[in-house]
Structures are given as structure tokens and as C-alpha cells.
């Protein structure tokens, strides 16, 4: 029978599927960090249980660390306590930890792929909703709660209800200057913030196939922002080339066997999905969110919508509430919205290609006097590479702050927070009320648009910017 | 985990869609290493006018006198979206909520509720609209019976669906880790046949 990629991954990982029990599936890789693991470790100890596969578990520090110092104490008392607790737990249970200043440290969803810990055909979980990122490799990857973290610790398995399947095809090629972030925001704009709840989404089509691994990760990363359990992209030569010789990837004959097996990881041509969505790549424009959910998004050359534009009463009400919170008036041109903060970073957009794209815009320019802009690389490896390529210096010369790796202002668990009324162009993934700081206003954008907005002090139409640059 | 069989309680109607877990428990309260101490910070930015949490916001529904002691949360679609933080259901539970009724929940949040013994009930949008009308007219008590999977209000009775295993776990307060550990031989058999790269 023809199967989708998800169904193949599911079949390969089901341990037990009974009528009266939620199916039990195997977990190949468990990534952990300081915020959602301590209570799981505590329960494990309370019940005097062993951690079944420490070698399948990898820890990093990312969520609440300082981006100004590698000292644990620099993160503040509460964070420092969590970081020390993670250190202690990893030592006690024999888990490899990439702690403060370690060459492998980084945001969990940046670190895993770049080290080759993320492999096609595996099930990867983490106590973080952006675990969907790893689906870019054809891995079934999803976020879990702390009780589930504990379940994985003790059993290396999880109980999961089988999801429905959705195929999202992006046909043709995007226009020059359109990023992976624009593709995924455009998709979310079409589905709405809960359009894929209960589904595992597979992204396909020419525009997806042409993406690099970094770009594919940006797309899959935001799967959760429209409710999907996970996002998937079938692995191909791009995937295998990226992974070959990575530190934790298989080597030699095992690598050959792996690639052989991975080549079968695609949806069969005759496979049917429960739902379909098709986009025309050439119609995708530069995206900017205007509201307080990622689905409240529009094109940069457009205007802030009005509640009257929505027929659904819930959307109408949400628009009204969002405009109030965001301090925006319907009909305002997006390019007339002034910003005073810029954040380039997060598990969505802090990889080397993101920094290259932003630096290309910033090169030789100056950040507007009315804007504070920070660049936070996703990992120490990204940081080193960006410094070696001169990107860091480009940012510094342009007036951006160049920080140490971490989750930083994406969720503001450390001191990288916005204050009330701040308006931020952010390359992160959530524009929820208060996400980056109480009363702060977040607009989700691509790294290119974040950099251009930092320089202009407001959103800019990148196509016009390019024309101006070419004309000058 | 505490067993759940029946519950009767005061309903608070929180009429908002897409309530995310950042809103349920903001990030500055996630720096604990225990499962307790989150209830006082539930809905912090909506519930308090100040950052310290001293000044209650009188407009926020949870602060209104007629809803004190509420244990059933009636709310809008896609409740619990966003971050996977289990701190969100921990905060709801510590505040006193035992049941959450909505037309839809985010997947991770739903699983987290089941895992800690909160009953998430999904009802159709039409029924949710009717329940909001009832609960907004005057404070209501609903009773929920898990064995028959029904919600009883003063005016009506509604059936809801729940996966059989979720129902079993809630009714018996099952330790899900212990349950799975009883199947260790199956896990070992699975591991024995895995390819080398996996």
C-alpha cells in the first residue's frame, strides 16, 4: 500500500499499537536543556528509576543563558540554579552536556543538526515546541512536555496518537530576495494559527526542494506556529551532502547503509494525504506579521488590515485585540511602521546563512540612530564561522551588537528583553503578547528584512531597496 | 497522579481564542526546578497591572468576585498553543482548575493536561457558544462525569469524546512511566532489530 513519509517513519518506530492503548513509539534521540528537564530528572530520582539510554540523550544550555558572558552567574540567580541543576543531573546520569563556553554549545535546534545528531529516519524529541526544526532532515521530530521528557528518560519511548497527514506543496520558484522565512510565514498566513492542529505536515514542491538545509530548517521550525505536530521534508542529496562527515553522523560502511535506507524516505507517488495545500512560489512576497499570532501576517508592500477585512467573527475579534495591543491603525502602510529594536537570532534564523543574508544588507550601512539592534548567533560554531567570514565585523561596523549564542530575545528568559511599548523587527518565531517582554510589540520578519529595517528605522520593501542599491 | 472520576465546580468563561502558553505562564516564571509555585503567576500579564503581581487587574475575569473558586475553565479555540512548557498546565492546576472546556486545544498542551490529570474537554463551537451564553449570564456550576463522558449544566447535557487510554489513565491515576516499564521486553525486542545507524 502506498504510504506517506510520515506513515513510513511511524511504521518504523511503532513498538506496540493496540486498540485500547495509545501507541508506543521508539525515540532515537532526546535533546534536553535547562528549563524543561529539572522536574523530569527529579521524578526519575524520586521513583528510583534509571535513565535508559544516556547515550541517546544530549544536553545543551540555551534558553536562559546570558548572551554577554559565559559565566553561569551572569544569567541571574534563578537561571543559574537551573543551569547548575542541569550540570549536576547530566553528571549523575552520564549525559553528554555542552555547557557554557563549550565549542558545541548552542541553541538546541541549531546545535543538533550542525553536529550530525539529527539524522533522517529517526524520531527526535525535546522539551521544546520548535523541535519540529529537525523535520527538515526527514526525521519525525516534535516538542514534548516535561512528563513526557521523564517518560523518554525512563523508557526511550513515548505514547503518541497517530497524526493526520497534510501535504503542502510550494510550486515553482520564489522570486529573488524571497527567503525561507517568507515561505513559511506565507503558508501560516494561508492556514491560520491552528490550521494544522492534529496533523504532521510534509513540505514539498520545487521551491522546497531548492532550499538549502538551513532554509529547510527555517521552514520546518515554524510548523508548530500553525499547530502542526511536526513538519517534514523528504531527505535528498542536499540532506546527505550536509550530513556527510559531521561529527556525530555515521561513518564508513554504516554511513553507506544509512544513505541507502534514507533514500526510501519519501512519500510514495500514489500516497494520499488527509489534507492538501498548494502555493504558487512566485506569488510569495516579503512577509511581516502585524498581529499577535504568527498567522496575522501580510506582505511588506501592503497595509495593516482592518477587522472589517475578516468575515469569521473570531478572526475579526482577534484582529481588533491585536491592533489594540500592537498600537497599530488599520490601513497604515507596513513600510510606515517605525521600529526601535531589532533582533536577529533564534532557532528559526540564527544559522550561518541567515547571518550571511543579514550581513549582506548591513554591509557598509549604519543602524538608524533610533534603533538598538542585536545579532545573536545560534551556536558557538556559527559564531566562529561568522567571525572567520568577517560577518561579525560587518555587523559591528554597522552598529549592531554582536552577542554570544543563546535563545536570547526570542523568549526573553535572560536579560535580553524588550520594555513596554518597544517595537521590534525580530527574526524569531512568535509574536505573542508579551513574548519578548511585557507590553512589547513583535513583528516577525526574515533576517534580510530585519537588517534592512534596522538601517532604515522602519520596514522597507526589499525589492525597492535593491533597485535603489542598483541605481546608486 | 490523582484519580479523576467526577467533578462539579464553578465555571469561569475566558472568552479568547488562541490563548498561548506564554500568556498562561510568562517566561520570567519558568526558572524553577520544581513543579510547584506556578499557580500564583497564572495569566500574570492579564491578571496583574504591575510586574511584581501586587496589583490585581479588576477587569480580568479571574479577578472578579463572582468567579473566585472557579475550577472549570471555559475558553476559546486553539487553547494552549505555542510553547510546550508543562508549566502552563501546572499553573492552571495549582490555581485550582480541574477541567478545561474548549472547541480545540493545541496538541502538546492537550497531552500535557492528560499527563498531569487535568481533563481537557473538546466540544463543538456551537455548544461552546451556548455554554458561554449560559456562563456569562450568571455564574454557573457544571458537573463533569468521566465514566459517561458528559458535561451537565443547569440547562443541558453534552457528551464529549476522549481516547480510551486517556480515560483509563485519568480514572485510575495511572503512572504512565511505570505502565510502559512493564513492557520492557517489547522495547528490547525493538532495539534488537534496529539498523546500526539508528
Amino acid at each position: 500500500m502506498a504510504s506517506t513519509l510520515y506513515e513510513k517513519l511511524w511504521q518504523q518506530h511503532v513498538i506496540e499499537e493496540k486498540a485500547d492503548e495509545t501507541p508506543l513509539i521508539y525515540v532515537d534521540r532526546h535533546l534536553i536543556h535547562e528549563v524543561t528537564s529539572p522536574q523530569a530528572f527529579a521524578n526519575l530520582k524520586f521513583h528510583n528509576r534509571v535513565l535508559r539510554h544516556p547515550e541517546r540523550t544530549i544536553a545543551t544550555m540555551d534558553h536562559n543563558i546570558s548572551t554577554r558572558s559565559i559565566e553561569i552567574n551572569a544569567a541571574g540567580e534563578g537561571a543559574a540554579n537551573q543551569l547548575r541543576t542541569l550540570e549536576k543531573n547530566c553528571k549523575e546520569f552520564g549525559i553528554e552536556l555542552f555547557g557554557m563556553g563549550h565549542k558545541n554549545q548552542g541553541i538546541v535546534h541549531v546545535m543538533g543538526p550542525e553536529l550530525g545528531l539529527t539524522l533522517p529516519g529517526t524520531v527526535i524529541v525535546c522539551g521544546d515546541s520548535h523541535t519540529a526544526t529537525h523535520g527538515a532532515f526527514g526525521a519525525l521530530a516534535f516538542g514534548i512536555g516535561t512528563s513526557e521528557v521523564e517518560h523518554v528518560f525512563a523508557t526511550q519511548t513515548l505514547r503518541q496518537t497517530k497524526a493526520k497527514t497534510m501535504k503542502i506543496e510550494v510550486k515553482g520558484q520564489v522570486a529573488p530576495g524571497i527567503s525561507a522565512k517568507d515561505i513559511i510565514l506565507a503558508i501560516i498566513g494561508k492556514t491560520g494559527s491552528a490550521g494544522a492542529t492534529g496533523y504532521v505536515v510534509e513540505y514539498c514542491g520545487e521551491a522546497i526542494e531548492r532550499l538549502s538545509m538551513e532554509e529547510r530548517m527555517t521552514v520546518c521550525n515554524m510548523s508548530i506556529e500553525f499547530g502542526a505536530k511536526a513538519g517534514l521534508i523528504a531527505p535528498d542529496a542536499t540532506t546527505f551532502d550536509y550530513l556527510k562527515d559531521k561529527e556525530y553522523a555515521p561513518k564508513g560502511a554504516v554511513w553507506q547503509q544509512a544513505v541507502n535506507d534514507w533514500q526510501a524516505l519519501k512519500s510514495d507517488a500514489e500516497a494520499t494525504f488527509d489534507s492538501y495545500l498548494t502555493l504558487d512560489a512566485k506569488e510569495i512576497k516579503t512577509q511581516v506579521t502585524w498581529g499577535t499570532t504568527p498567522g496575522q501576517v501580510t506582505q511588506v508592500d501592503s497595509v495593516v488590515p482592518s477587522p472589517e477585512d475578516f468575515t469569521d467573527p473570531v478572526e475579526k475579534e482577534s484582529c481588533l485585540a491585536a491592533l489594540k495591543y500592537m498600537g497599530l491603525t488599520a490601513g497604515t502602510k507596513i513600510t510606515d511602521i517605525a521600529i526601535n529594536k531589532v533582533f536577529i537570532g533564534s532557532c528559526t534564523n540564527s544559522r550561518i546563512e541567515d547571518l550571511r543574508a543579514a550581513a549582506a544588507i548591513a554591509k557598509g550601512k549604519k543602524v538608524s540612530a533610533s534603533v538598538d539592534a542585536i545579532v545573536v548567533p545560534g551556536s558557538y560554531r556559527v559564531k566562529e564561522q561568522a567571525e572567520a567570514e568577517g560577518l561579525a565585523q560587518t555587523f559591528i561596523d554597522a552598529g549592531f551588537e554582536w552577542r554570544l549564542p543563546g535563545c536570547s530575545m526570542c523568549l526573553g528568559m535572560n536579560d535580553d528583553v524588550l520594555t513596554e511599548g518597544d517595537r521590534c523587527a525580530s527574526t524569531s518565531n512568535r509574536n505573542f503578547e508579551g513574548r519578548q517582554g511585557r507590553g512589547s510589540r513583535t513583528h516577525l520578519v526574515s533576517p534580510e528584512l530585519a537588517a534592512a529595517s534596522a538601517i532604515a528605522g522602519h520596514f522597507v520593501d526589499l525589492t525597492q531597496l535593491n533597485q535603489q542599491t542598483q541605481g546608486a | 497522579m490523582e484519580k479523576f472520576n467526577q467533578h462539579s465546580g464553578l465555571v469561569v468563561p475566558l472568552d479568547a481564542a488562541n490563548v498561548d502558553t506564554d500568556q498562561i505562564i510568562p517566561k520570567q516564571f519558568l526558572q524553577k526546578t520544581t513543579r510547584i509555585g506556578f499557580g500564583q503567576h497564572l495569566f500574570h500579564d492579564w491578571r496583574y497591572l504591575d510586574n511584581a503581581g501586587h496589583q490585581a487587574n479588576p477587569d480580568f475575569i479571574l479577578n472578579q468576585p463572582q468567579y473566585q473558586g472557579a475550577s472549570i475553565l471555559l475558553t476559546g479555540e486553539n487553547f494552549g498553543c505555542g510553547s510546550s512548557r508543562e508549566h502552563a498546565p501546572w499553573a492552571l492546576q495549582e490555581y485550582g482548575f480541574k477541567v478545561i472546556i474548549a472547541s480545540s486545544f493545541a496538541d502538546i498542551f492537550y497531552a500535557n493536561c492528560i499527563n498531569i490529570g487535568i481533563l481537557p474537554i473538546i466540544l463543538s463551537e456551537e455548544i461552546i457558544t451556548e455554554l458561554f451564553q449560559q456562563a456569562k449570564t450568571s455564574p454557573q456550576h457544571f458537573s463533569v462525569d468521566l465514566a459517561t463522558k458528559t458535561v451537565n449544566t443547569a440547562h443541558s447535557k453534552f457528551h464529549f469524546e476522549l481516547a480510551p487510554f486517556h480515560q483509563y489513565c485519568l480514572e485510575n491515576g495511572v503512572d504512565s512511566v511505570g505502565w510502559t516499564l512493564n513492557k520492557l521486553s517489547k522495547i528490547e525486542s525493538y532495539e534488537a532489530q534496529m539498523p546500526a545507524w539508528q
Side-chain angles (χ1 to χ4, degrees), chain A residues 194 197, chain B residues 75-80 102-106 121-123 125 128:
Chain A
T197 301
Chain B
T75 186
E77 64 186 45
N78 196 27
F79 187 78
S103 61
S104 62
F105 292 90
I121 296 179
I122 300 172
L123 294 170
E125 279 175 28
I128 294 290

Side-chain angles (χ1 to χ4, degrees), chain B residues 124-135:
Chain B
S124 71
E125 279 175 28
E126 294 73 36
I127 296 174
I128 294 290
T129 305
E130 187 183 327
L131 294 182
F132 265 111
Q133 275 165 1
Q134 290 182 19

Side-chain angles (χ1 to χ4, degrees), chain A residues 144-162:
Chain A
I144 57 177
T146 297
S147 294
E148 292 174 309
V149 170
E150 180 191 344
H151 194 279
V152 179
F153 279 165
T155 68
Q156 204 57 38
T157 68
L158 267 181
R159 291 205 174 269
Q160 286 292 305
T161 307
K162 195 171 178 185

Side-chain angles (χ1 to χ4, degrees), chain A residues 95 319 353 356 371 386 418:
Chain A
I95 295 165
C319 174
E353 287 192 356
R356 284 180 193 144
V371 174
L418 300 177

Side-chain angles (χ1 to χ4, degrees), chain A residues 152-183:
Chain A
V152 179
F153 279 165
T155 68
Q156 204 57 38
T157 68
L158 267 181
R159 291 205 174 269
Q160 286 292 305
T161 307
K162 195 171 178 185
K164 291 179 282 185
T165 55
M166 182 185 290
K167 178 179 179 176
I168 298 184
E169 186 173 3
V170 189
K171 288 190 165 172
Q173 298 177 27
V174 290
I178 296 302
S179 71
K181 185 68 162 284
D182 298 314
I183 295 177

Side-chain angles (χ1 to χ4, degrees), chain B residues 23-196:
Chain B
Q23 220 47 254
I24 298 171
I25 183 86
K27 70 267 180 172
Q28 64 268 35
F29 307 111
L30 303 186
Q31 294 189 335
K32 290 182 170 49
T33 55
T34 59
R35 287 174 187 246
I36 52 169
F38 298 102
Q40 59 180 312
H41 306 300
L42 177 70
F43 294 121
H44 181 275
D45 288 1
W46 287 343
R47 200 164 140 205
Y48 302 106
L49 294 169
D50 61 328
N51 284 333
H54 296 316
Q55 269 179 279
N57 174 5
D59 294 334
F60 185 55
I61 195 151
L62 255 61
N63 290 334
Q64 293 170 6
Q66 67 270 37
Y67 296 116
Q68 296 313 299
S71 60
I72 298 177
L73 181 66
L74 175 65
T75 186
E77 64 186 45
N78 196 27
F79 187 78
C81 60
S83 160
S84 60
R85 57 187 73 163
E86 197 166 302
H87 313 68
W90 292 339
L92 287 157
Q93 191 171 52
E94 193 175 310
Y95 181 88
F97 289 115
K98 301 201 179 302
V99 175
I100 307 173
I101 305 175
S103 61
S104 62
F105 292 90
D107 289 337
I108 305 175
F109 179 84
Y110 186 91
N112 287 342
C113 285
I114 298 282
N115 285 332
I116 69 166
I118 292 180
L119 173 61
I121 296 179
I122 300 172
L123 294 170
S124 71
E125 279 175 28
E126 294 73 36
I127 296 174
I128 294 290
T129 305
E130 187 183 327
L131 294 182
F132 265 111
Q133 275 165 1
Q134 290 182 19
K136 281 175 166 179
T137 310
S138 64
Q140 301 285 315
H141 283 77
F142 291 173
S143 69
V144 175
D145 181 59
L146 191 51
T148 56
K149 289 182 282 185
T150 48
V151 178
N152 297 285
T153 77
H155 314 278
S156 41
K157 182 173 181 171
F158 302 101
H159 181 77
F160 61 89
E161 294 297 331
L162 189 69
F165 191 64
H166 289 166
Q167 183 176 349
Y168 179 83
C169 287
L170 286 169
E171 282 175 342
N172 297 283
V174 168
D175 161 25
S176 67
V177 174
W179 182 273
T180 300
L181 283 174
N182 286 331
K183 297 169 182 280
L184 213 50
S185 63
K186 288 208 165 79
I187 301 171
E188 284 165 351
S189 306
Y190 177 87
E191 288 174 333
Q193 56 78 52
M194 286 163 69

